[in-house]
Amino acid sequence: MATGLFSSSSSRKRNGEAADASIEDQLHDIREDIAQLVSLIADRGMAASRDTKAKARSTREQAESDLQDLLASGEQMISDLRSRYAGTEREVRRAVREHPVATLGVAAAIGLIAAALLRR
């Protein structure tokens, strides 16, 4: 800016043409500054948007990975439970075949205890 709004200049003319030109120069400079600020804000906004999108993408990928690990772990646990249940079932069937009378006695005793507890 060549001259300020309130500065005294010997180049001012009586009819105010120089003052008007100075104000127009200042308005032009202010418009340029505002345009630069808008551009800077837009650039920073876009950068923040890119960063946020990258973080969201990374978080989503991590969540998907964790979900896959959780599903694999759950499937492994179910497989382990099935094999344990199958083994226990075989042992119970073998015990019933080997000791049928003892098995009936144990079942009757459990039934009587359960009935006595439920009656109270």
Side-chain angles (χ1 to χ4, degrees), residues 1-51:
M1 281 190 250
T3 60
L5 182 59
F6 297 110
S7 67
S8 62
S9 173
S10 62
S11 66
R12 287 192 185 175
K13 296 182 180 177
R14 262 187 198 253
N15 60 8
E17 289 178 18
D20 288 342
S22 174
I23 290 173
E24 288 177 12
D25 289 343
Q26 290 177 358
L27 286 174
H28 179 68
D29 290 343
I30 289 172
R31 285 185 184 124
E32 287 179 355
D33 289 345
I34 289 173
Q36 288 176 352
L37 285 172
V38 168
S39 176
L40 180 64
I41 289 171
D43 291 345
R44 291 202 180 186
M46 291 181 71
S49 175
R50 282 192 299 269
D51 290 346

Side-chain angles (χ1 to χ4, degrees), residues 41-89:
I41 289 171
D43 291 345
R44 291 202 180 186
M46 291 181 71
S49 175
R50 282 192 299 269
D51 290 346
T52 302
K53 285 179 183 178
K55 287 178 183 177
R57 188 177 309 115
S58 173
T59 302
R60 188 183 78 224
E61 290 171 357
Q62 181 65 36
E64 288 175 353
S65 174
D66 291 346
L67 179 62
Q68 293 298 327
D69 292 345
L70 182 63
L71 288 174
S73 175
E75 289 174 356
Q76 181 63 37
M77 289 172 68
I78 289 173
S79 176
D80 290 346
L81 286 174
R82 283 182 183 163
S83 65
R84 287 181 187 175
Y85 176 75
T88 303
E89 181 184 7

